Amino acid sequence: MAAISIRNVDVVFGENIEQSLALLDQGSSRQEIIETTGDVVGVANASIEVQEGEICVLMGLSGSGKSSLLRAVNGLNAVSRGELLVQDGDQMVDIATCDASTLLHMRTSKISMVFQKFALMPWMSVVDNVAFGLDMKGMSKQKRRAKAMEKLEMVGLSEWKDKFPHELSGGMQQRVGLARAFAMDSDILLMDEPFSALDPLIRSQLQDELIELQQRLNKTILFVSHDLDEALKIGTHIAIMESAKIIQHGKPEDIVLNPKTPYVADFVAHTNPLNVLCGRSLMTLVSDLPIVNGECVLNPHDNTVVNVNAEGVITTASRQGEALPLHHWSEGEDIERMAEGLLVIASPDVPMRSAIEIRYKTGLPLLLEEDGRLVGILSDKDFYHALLGKHFTLDAA
Ligand SMILES: Nc1ncnc2c1ncn2[C@@H]1O[C@H](COP(=O)(O)OP(=O)(O)OP(=O)(O)O)[C@@H](O)[C@H]1O
């Protein structure tokens, strides 16, 4: 079930909204609209569904409209046109048209927000900051404190409960912000560049923690970032915005492999694809391998070959006439101790990061097997393609 359903949403800032919407419908650009009406188009005709338990990252350059859309989800920005449905139990509430008391209910019990600037109260202790917001839910003081302590524990800051925000580092303050958002126990978390003010190491740690917490608590998260590496790491889905519009929405691997416009391709070209790609997307198909004397040639330079029977089952392999030991690898198995000269057979779903590590340890290509049949290989050419970003095809719309 969709937790958030954004349907043809426009967000226009200004005094002449009707006129600006009419101009949008006529195909006027943002710039033309600002020149004619003085209004700024924050979001134009955005439609996406975010399913329960997804982390959807809104990605795009500065000014593309990410925050404008995010803030529409909890009513901080008014929706000028369209429907913005948010799940409340087994019904959907339209944030665009609901009354003030419904909006208040949604904000206090269904949707929480984490900002880039931690938004902590400087005069309140860490634990009181985390508990802030729970009294609006009518919780007793004792319960509020217990809940706040539980969430502080979760982010590893229980020892810091009585300190004040200025006594904490930026990363710790952001953890307090996260603890506060999780304390609200809302089903939906809106996160506006929550980690962008932090240094890379802390940022990466908090990203890992967020993924882990999300898996444990199964929240639905809408996350704004201008960093595709971050989006690829934490997003189950990514929506890319340009000039107020969503121009591509899909799973991370789809975005990396099939960018729809040069704008998306440009983002993709500057990212590290190893976190999202798997062997299947890059492998050389078995049907494309040269066959010499009935053997599939993996590397003609050192005569590494593999034999498959009529059913496609791998039987033996050799390098310069010497038999190579075969080893079936599955995810989670230690790669560190793999010996040079081991020919590894893995699933086509092997993450490229693991595949490269295996290649590094064994010095050999990988064989990819599905349903007991050899379907492809990963050789150095495929690894270089992944690293150099030559794996995608620009599917220009
Ligand atoms: N409250 C507002 N009033 C008027 N214009 C606004 C308001 N909020 C945003 N805008 C304008 O809407 C456009 C989109 O801004 P938005 O903050 O959504 O972009 P963004 O993609 O989140 O950018 P950034 O990464 O820099 O935060 C910008 O031109 C901005 O000036």
Side-chain angles (χ1 to χ4, degrees), residues 275-345:
N275 294 326
V276 276
L277 295 178
C278 64
R280 190 187 302 281
S281 337
L282 296 160
M283 67 186 179
T284 302
L285 292 173
V286 67
S287 54
D288 293 335
L289 292 176
I291 309 282
V292 177
N293 302 327
E295 296 176 316
C296 295
V297 180
L298 306 183
N299 183 349
H301 305 296
D302 63 3
N303 197 24
T304 305
V305 295
V306 62
N307 290 291
V308 290
N309 68 17
E311 281 78 48
V313 178
I314 301 162
T315 53
T316 55
S318 62
R319 180 168 53 180
Q320 286 171 343
E322 287 216 5
L324 287 170
L326 294 165
H327 174 75
H328 281 87
W329 178 84
S330 50
E331 200 155 358
E333 195 186 319
D334 193 10
I335 299 173
E336 201 45 42
R337 272 176 277 157
M338 269 182 188
E340 205 278 330
L342 191 66
L343 189 57
V344 170
I345 305 171

Side-chain angles (χ1 to χ4, degrees), residues 247-260:
I247 50 168
Q248 190 167 0
H249 175 227
K251 293 189 172 171
E253 203 179 20
D254 295 340
I255 305 264
V256 170
L257 290 172
N258 301 304
K260 280 204 172 136

Side-chain angles (χ1 to χ4, degrees), residues 302 304 319 324 341-343 358-359 362-366 378 383:
D302 63 3
T304 305
R319 180 168 53 180
L324 287 170
L342 191 66
L343 189 57
I358 292 172
R359 157 68 184 82
T362 63
L364 288 173
L366 270 77
L378 287 173
F383 294 130

Side-chain angles (χ1 to χ4, degrees), residues 11-14 30 34 39-43 59-71 76-77 116 192-193 224-226 241 244:
V11 176
V12 177
F13 302 104
R30 254 175 155 187
I34 204 170
D39 289 358
V40 178
V41 178
V43 179
M59 234 276 316
L61 295 178
S62 182
S64 55
K66 309 176 294 291
S67 302
S68 299
L69 181 55
L70 185 85
R71 292 162 68 87
L76 282 177
N77 284 343
Q116 175 183 359
D192 197 351
E193 306 228 24
V224 164
S225 178
H226 61 262
M241 296 191 72

Side-chain angles (χ1 to χ4, degrees), residues 102-167:
T102 308
L103 187 58
L104 183 66
H105 156 73
M106 294 302 282
R107 282 187 190 158
T108 46
S109 58
K110 295 289 156 196
I111 312 170
S112 298
M113 187 144 177
V114 184
F115 299 92
Q116 175 183 359
K117 293 274 181 279
F118 330 116
L120 303 180
M121 311 296 164
W123 63 89
M124 284 185 183
S125 68
V126 162
V127 65
D128 288 342
N129 262 291
V130 177
F132 180 79
L134 292 178
D135 56 342
M136 283 198 289
K137 295 183 137 206
M139 213 181 253
S140 72
K141 190 162 184 211
Q142 203 183 0
K143 275 199 173 156
R144 291 203 299 264
R145 203 177 159 87
K147 180 116 198 163
M149 282 308 298
E150 179 193 314
K151 301 300 168 191
L152 273 180
E153 187 87 39
M154 193 174 80
V155 298
L157 285 179
S158 44
E159 306 285 296
W160 297 77
K161 64 181 190 311
D162 296 322
K163 300 282 183 207
F164 287 87
H166 73 271
E167 297 176 277

Side-chain angles (χ1 to χ4, degrees), residues 151-271:
K151 301 300 168 191
L152 273 180
E153 187 87 39
M154 193 174 80
V155 298
L157 285 179
S158 44
E159 306 285 296
W160 297 77
K161 64 181 190 311
D162 296 322
K163 300 282 183 207
F164 287 87
H166 73 271
E167 297 176 277
L168 272 57
S169 70
M172 290 161 110
Q173 291 184 43
Q174 195 52 287
R175 277 202 173 88
V176 178
L178 276 182
R180 183 172 61 191
F182 279 109
M184 294 295 282
D185 255 345
S186 318
D187 300 330
I188 296 172
L189 279 179
L190 306 180
M191 308 185 86
D192 197 351
E193 306 228 24
F195 306 144
S196 60
L198 307 173
D199 67 54
L201 199 63
I202 303 286
R203 183 174 180 167
S204 169
Q205 259 174 21
L206 284 184
Q207 288 165 346
D208 291 337
E209 279 171 31
L210 180 71
I211 295 168
E212 206 254 317
L213 286 173
Q214 196 280 337
Q215 283 166 354
R216 198 141 41 94
L217 306 174
N218 198 38
K219 303 288 181 193
T220 304
I221 300 178
L222 194 56
F223 188 108
V224 164
S225 178
H226 61 262
D227 175 358
L228 187 59
D229 278 321
E230 179 168 77
L232 294 174
K233 179 170 173 185
I234 66 170
T236 55
H237 290 76
I238 298 175
I240 301 197
M241 296 191 72
E242 182 188 13
S243 273
K245 298 194 176 99
I246 294 177
I247 50 168
Q248 190 167 0
H249 175 227
K251 293 189 172 171
E253 203 179 20
D254 295 340
I255 305 264
V256 170
L257 290 172
N258 301 304
K260 280 204 172 136
T261 70
Y263 174 86
V264 184
D266 200 34
F267 270 118
V268 169
H270 293 97
T271 190

